[in-house]
Amino acid sequence: MIKELKFVSQLEFERYQEDGFIVKENLLSLKQVEAVKEAFRIMVATYGPDRNRADLIAGSSGAIMGGAWIKKKNDPLCIQLEAGQTPAIDDLEKLELQVRKFMWFEKEAPIFQEILRPDSPMQTIVADLISDSPLLYQSLALIKPPKIGSTKPWHQDNAYFSVKPLESICGVWIAIDEATVQNGCMHMLRGQHKVGPLVHEHKRDCEINVRKLDLGTLHPVPLKPGSALFFNGMIPHETPPNRSDYRRRALQFHFRGSRSEILPGLEYDAVFKDANGQPASCEAVRRGGF
């Protein structure tokens, strides 16, 4: 039992341990939500049409889903478009409706620094859940444009990472638009973080073969704007396609505990392996050529 919980109740802490996730309503104010939307718009307008600021890179022709990339010069910031779309660099409104993902954007607007400040509710909640001081490990904004927003198949986030111990990773998924079953909200497999690593394969994406999953534990998590899902890095989850008329935007941050380690790939193979001892991460599968 944790002696001091600041933003999480004992019941919520126990639910996180048992289910692999909890929801916190109204993590962001509606004013903050609107500031995030405006920051998205400005990033597209700033880097989308300007080849002096950002390169336009064609999407992969391989199995991994996703279209063209807008890559800021001399900076980690990337904007990925949906596959099958011709980048509408002369029509900013249309271009924004083609965006699938923003990566490493946290320095682009004050609102992101506000959300990520060390004493923010988000970081305090993560600290409660992992019983450690959180370190930002990854920043994403995950977008599903209306009608064309693609599936993110079943996966465990730790399959993309190389952090030990596995339970030190906590993801935070914050709805910026209302997230519904129709427009592609998060779907979790309740309690399945306790199953351990599952082998991933490269098909549409780095994903788990659905035959390995207990879909009887499936739990959709619709969220209102500003509300957040906190989830264990081991829980299998997916987001279905958006075939609705409404865009679904979300911020997603991953944190690791300050006492955790980042391992080289071959060392991580010994940590993230399935019950048969097979290395199960995305990198291990890619390295093995399947």
Side-chain angles (χ1 to χ4, degrees), residues 70-126:
I70 298 165
K71 173 70 174 67
K72 184 177 178 181
K73 292 182 183 292
N74 304 311
D75 193 89
L77 172 69
C78 298
I79 305 171
Q80 186 186 32
L81 307 183
E82 281 286 349
Q85 303 296 306
T86 300
I89 57 174
D90 296 322
D91 185 339
L92 293 180
E93 185 174 348
K94 183 177 180 181
L95 182 62
E96 190 177 355
L97 287 171
Q98 295 177 331
V99 172
R100 178 175 184 259
K101 182 189 300 181
F102 296 90
M103 295 186 69
W104 301 115
F105 52 83
E106 62 269 21
K107 295 180 182 178
E108 290 295 317
I111 182 59
F112 301 130
Q113 296 299 303
E114 179 182 331
I115 293 169
L116 284 163
R117 71 180 193 272
D119 63 344
S120 68
M122 177 173 66
Q123 294 228 39
T124 308
I125 291 167
V126 172

Side-chain angles (χ1 to χ4, degrees), residues 242-260:
N242 182 4
R243 297 295 177 255
S244 78
D245 295 325
Y246 304 100
R247 180 165 40 179
R248 193 233 67 192
R249 290 168 285 188
L251 292 173
Q252 181 171 286
F253 302 105
H254 283 98
F255 296 91
R256 67 181 182 93
S258 63
R259 297 191 296 270
S260 65

Side-chain angles (χ1 to χ4, degrees), residues 24 29 38 46 68 87-88 102 110 128 140-141 176 215 221 271 276 279-280 282:
K24 297 291 280 188
S29 69
E38 179 64 6
T46 300
F102 296 90
D128 281 350
L140 299 171
I176 300 302
L215 297 183
V221 188
V271 175
N276 297 319
C282 298

Side-chain angles (χ1 to χ4, degrees), residues 156 166 195-200 234 271-275 280:
Q156 296 166 304
L166 298 176
V195 171
L198 296 169
V199 171
H200 288 61
M234 289 300 295
V271 175
F272 196 83
K273 58 185 179 180
D274 74 0

Side-chain angles (χ1 to χ4, degrees), residues 216-235:
T217 63
L218 192 151
H219 184 83
V221 188
L223 293 172
K224 296 292 186 182
S227 294
L229 173 71
F230 290 76
F231 59 101
N232 188 297
M234 289 300 295
I235 191 167

Side-chain angles (χ1 to χ4, degrees), residues 12 23 37 55 96 130 132 162 168 190 199 240 257 265:
E12 287 173 321
V23 170
K37 292 178 183 178
D55 296 315
E96 190 177 355
I130 65 174
D132 197 358
S162 57
S168 67
R190 189 196 296 270
V199 171

